[in-house]
Amino acid sequence: MNRNIETGHIAELIACACLEEQGFKTSFCQQEAVDILAYKNYDFYRVQVKGSKLRKIKNYHHLQFQLGLGKAKRLPTINDYDFAVLTSIDQRKCFFMPVEEVDRTTIRKKKIVFDDLNIEEFSLTETLKKIHKRKNRSKLKWRL
């Protein structure tokens, strides 16, 4: 199996488990920009999952996530998905971020970010607050 496909599949399983622990119901929905549909309290969310394994460059431990879409690697918009889940495969931890905060096609996170025991709950809570503040959330043009 292709290493990238394997890493992506593992990341999706970890992300689903994390969301389920937070009270969501999840369903796999592999599309161009959506990997999971998550729902809780009658709210549905389109989720993009990105996984990475720990990298070490000159004693600097980090994870690198490719968030660009399509062949041209364009930045995603709210019409593509609601939030991204950056998943550390080695630590089996997730970091949530709304699509509005994706400002680069490649994002690096330090290992220490995923060492925080509360990172999943905290980043998910902050992400959902931002999503629910969006104007015209119900009028989005979903791309599935």
Side-chain angles (χ1 to χ4, degrees), residues 30-93:
Q30 281 84 11
Q31 300 296 317
E32 180 183 352
V34 178
D35 296 314
I36 298 170
L37 286 176
Y39 53 99
K40 182 177 180 180
N41 301 330
Y42 302 103
D43 287 317
F44 283 81
Y45 305 92
R46 299 160 299 149
V47 183
Q48 173 65 267
V49 179
K50 294 297 181 177
S52 179
K53 292 189 176 187
L54 196 60
R55 298 173 180 222
K56 181 179 179 183
I57 300 174
K58 298 181 182 177
N59 295 325
Y60 172 69
H61 291 89
H62 72 280
L63 298 108
Q64 183 171 305
F65 302 93
Q66 175 55 255
L67 290 159
L69 296 175
K71 290 181 182 178
K73 299 299 179 206
R74 67 174 174 81
L75 288 175
T77 70
I78 59 173
N79 290 320
D80 294 308
Y81 58 85
D82 294 307
F83 63 88
V85 183
L86 308 182
T87 306
S88 170
I89 303 295
D90 299 312
Q91 295 162 289
R92 303 213 186 293
K93 286 275 203 83

Side-chain angles (χ1 to χ4, degrees), residues 63-65 67 86 97 102-109:
L63 298 108
Q64 183 171 305
F65 302 93
L67 290 159
L86 308 182
M97 62 188 298
V102 178
D103 57 358
R104 299 182 305 280
T105 58
T106 302
I107 292 178
R108 288 190 177 102
K109 292 283 182 190

